[in-house]
Amino acid sequence: MHGTELAEKLEALLASGVTYKAIAERAGCDASTIYRIRSGAIANPLYSTGRAIDEMHAELKSRAA
């Protein structure tokens, strides 16, 4: 997982109304970590964090389809 891809996925999640807090709770981290991934300050987050973001994004896409 590349940080740029995760940042784009976070943009989509946030645009859909999901909050930093909700993403962080699902990923098991702080909201500040999610913010730093989105801003590019964290390029390589923990695998579990990236996976949670990926899963949430996939769920968002499946709801939109």
Side-chain angles (χ1 to χ4, degrees):
M1 258 165 282
H2 192 271
T4 305
E5 291 175 26
L6 291 177
E8 291 169 2
K9 290 176 181 181
L10 285 171
E11 288 290 336
L13 288 166
L14 293 164
S16 75
V18 180
T19 64
Y20 280 100
K21 182 179 177 183
I23 298 168
E25 286 175 358
R26 174 98 176 251
C29 63
D30 293 332
S32 63
T33 300
I34 301 302
Y35 177 82
R36 292 193 325 257
I37 293 168
R38 180 181 177 219
S39 70
I42 297 177
N44 295 306
L46 292 175
Y47 175 80
S48 58
T49 303
R51 176 134 175 119
I53 294 168
D54 280 341
E55 289 172 358
M56 290 182 78
H57 186 259
E59 290 169 9
L60 176 67
K61 285 179 63 177
S62 70
R63 280 186 258 141

